[in-house]
Structures are given as structure tokens and as C-alpha cells.
Amino acid sequence: MDAPNSNEEKVEALQVELEHLKRANEALRLMLEAMSRKCNTLEAYLRESSSQPTGSRLTRIGSYDEHLNKRPRPEVPSMAKPSQVFVKTDPRDKSLIVKDGFQWRKYGQKVTKDNPSPRAYFRCSMAPGCPVKKKVQRCVEDKSFLLATYEGQHNHDVQSSPMESLSSAESSAMLSTTSSPYRVLSNSFRPTITLDLTLSGSNVENSRNPRNLVQETSCNDHDNKRIEDYVASLTKDPNFTVALAAAVARSINGL
DNA sequence: CGACTTTGACCCGCGC
DNA sequence: GCGCGGGTCAAAGTCG
């Protein structure tokens, strides 16, 4: 029907994609600059700490994760690391629902200080004793993204198909920013990019998605723990994570 | 009627 | 000690 316009539409679409890629390129460049600065700081810190047997700064950085859970539940293993996932949704949709193949029960909602959008708290309701919790909050700068933070590990299998659960809008871009224990996000049915920013030395996720790995860094075990804590704080930076999510999602949509 | 959501109150850790 | 802020509880409401 619209054959005469198809070429013009294609050119228009390509121009839009080109614009997206330009923005993604710029965002990635900024991210690289930021990471370079952080790396320089980290190197300086490692040099200092290696010359000092013990130091108060080391104690502060190492204790970062302990402040995340102010009221830890006994059934949640303390060694379970939070996993963050970006999901692209309709910014007009205020439901804060991330369909990831699991069944969640909402138990609270809060407006946090650094984000006008409310944060929703969910518990896994697929199994009675499942300790997994997740927090879902809209990104401050790009409201088309939901940031889901998973804590704990499921003690049961996924019963429903993730393909059935994901809507087209939500599945258009899912981005895990830490090594995720959730197989549903590791399936290759959708473009999922894993950034192992924890530098934890756990290459299980990387081996699952070798083609999707954007960044991979290896260090010796001695430095891993301190680097991990430091980078964990880096990934908490809202500007960093928002820019990262927007850039990668546009790359996914444009490719 | 059971499962789920909503929402205000409450708890707890942290900084001043 | 007090206030702030994040996380959780629990009663009431809603829905299928």
C-alpha cells in the first residue's frame, strides 16, 4: 500500500537510528572518561593501600555492602549480592511491574530522597519460603527505564516461560549491571547484555553470554575484594547507571 | 474467599 | 538525643 513511501520511511528510520547511535557513542565516550577517572583513583588507592599494612580507609570501603541491608532477614544469606537490571518500559506506565518470569508480591512502596518516582518493594511469592526480594524504581533522568534490584537467590525453579511473561515493550531492552544469579535473564531469547562490574572473579555469567559481554576485567584474587567493593559504589552512581542503560539500550534497538 | 495491592505507621541505623 | 531516610509491617481495600 505505502510502497512509494517505503524508501523515504526507511531513510527516515535510518536517520533516527543514526541519531541514536551518535548519542550512544557520546554517552559511551563519557562513560569511558568517567571509568578512566575512577580507575586512576582506584590505582592510586591500591598503591597507597599496598604500602600500608592496615588503614582506616580500607575498612570504610570494605564495609560498604554492610550498610545496604539495615534490617537483614535471617533467611537471606548475607553473601548474596544485589543484582541490578534495567528494563525499558513505557514512561507513562506507572505500574512499576517488571515481568521477569517470577511471581512477585508487593509489600511496600516508598518515595526516596534522590528520586521523585516511588520505589516499590516486592517479595517472590512463587515458593512459600523463597527469600528473594526486589526493588523497582524508575530512573531519575530517563523515565522510560525501570531499575530492578534483586537480592537473594531463588530456592525453586521457574515455572512459567519468560517469553510468555515479557511484553514487547519490556523485553526490548533488559540490561544486567551486575553478575546476576537469575537464569531467566541469562536466556538468549532477547538481547541481554551483561556487564560484570563487580569484578568478582565469577566468570560463570560471562561464559554463559560470551558474545554479549561488553566489558570484562580480570585481577588477582588479592585485589578483587577491594576492587569489587569500590566498583560496587561506582555502579550506585545514578548518573553513571542511567547513562549506561540509555546508551546500551539505544545500541540494542539500533542494531 | 483467597491472593494481591495500597498506604500509613513503625522500626532501625546513621549522621549531626 | 534527635531527626532523617530506607526498609518492613499490617490493616484495609480490591479483584478475579
Side-chain angles (χ1 to χ4, degrees):
Chain A
M1 267 192 251
D2 50 353
N5 295 330
S6 61
N7 279 343
E8 291 177 18
E9 288 173 359
K10 282 180 182 175
V11 170
E12 213 168 294
L14 284 172
Q15 283 175 342
V16 171
E17 287 182 10
L18 179 63
E19 191 60 33
H20 284 169
L21 285 173
K22 282 181 180 175
R23 283 187 217 163
N25 184 42
E26 178 64 13
L28 285 168
R29 190 183 64 77
L30 292 173
M31 285 156 43
L32 277 174
E33 286 178 7
M35 290 183 77
S36 295
R37 284 195 295 271
K38 295 282 185 179
C39 283
N40 289 338
T41 308
L42 176 60
E43 283 173 1
Y45 161 71
L46 284 175
R47 273 196 298 272
E48 279 185 37
S49 60
S50 63
S51 63
Q52 297 172 356
T54 55
S56 58
R57 208 170 5 201
L58 178 65
T59 307
R60 282 183 62 183
I61 294 179
S63 62
Y64 182 86
D65 270 346
E66 295 173 9
H67 300 294
L68 290 177
N69 248 346
K70 292 181 176 179
R71 297 176 66 180
R73 288 170 163 257
E75 65 264 32
V76 178
S78 59
M79 58 188 297
K81 295 173 183 173
S83 170
Q84 294 186 322
V85 175
F86 284 96
V87 181
K88 183 167 172 60
T89 63
D90 187 344
R92 292 164 297 182
D93 182 13
K94 298 180 180 177
S95 61
L96 289 177
I97 294 174
V98 176
K99 295 173 185 174
D100 50 16
F102 294 95
Q103 192 176 346
W104 300 94
R105 176 173 180 157
K106 189 177 180 179
Y107 67 90
Q109 181 168 312
K110 267 286 206 195
V111 176
T112 55
K113 187 185 177 185
D114 54 348
N115 193 337
S117 302
R119 175 185 295 168
Y121 300 88
F122 296 90
R123 257 196 281 269
C124 181
S125 61
M126 284 182 77
C130 184
V132 178
K133 290 179 287 186
K134 80 169 176 182
K135 295 177 281 189
V136 180
Q137 191 169 27
R138 211 162 276 285
C139 285
V140 185
E141 296 182 17
D142 191 342
K143 289 185 165 31
S144 63
F145 280 95
L146 289 177
L147 172 60
T149 305
Y150 295 85
E151 291 179 39
Q153 281 193 307
H154 294 278
N155 59 4
H156 56 86
D157 293 329
V158 185
Q159 289 172 4
S160 63
S161 166
M163 184 69 100
E164 293 170 6
S165 302
L166 285 168
S167 70
S168 60
E170 286 163 339
S171 61
S172 63
M174 294 187 75
L175 168 64
S176 168
T177 59
T178 63
S179 53
S180 165
Y182 305 97
R183 292 179 183 275
V184 58
L185 299 176
S186 302
N187 290 343
S188 58
F189 65 93
R190 289 286 179 191
T192 299
I193 293 182
T194 300
L195 299 177
D196 189 359
L197 294 177
T198 63
L199 307 180
S200 61
S202 166
N203 290 325
V204 176
E205 191 70 23
N206 299 348
S207 62
R208 261 187 223 135
N209 298 319
R211 281 168 296 181
N212 290 336
L213 188 64
V214 172
Q215 179 183 344
E216 180 177 2
T217 309
S218 61
C219 301
N220 61 52
D221 291 340
H222 179 73
D223 290 331
N224 273 350
K225 183 68 184 80
R226 283 176 290 174
I227 296 173
E228 178 183 340
D229 290 331
Y230 185 86
V231 178
S233 69
L234 171 65
T235 60
K236 296 280 187 298
D237 183 346
N239 292 329
F240 178 80
T241 51
V242 167
L244 185 64
V248 177
R250 281 174 184 143
S251 297
I252 293 169
N253 289 330
L255 293 177

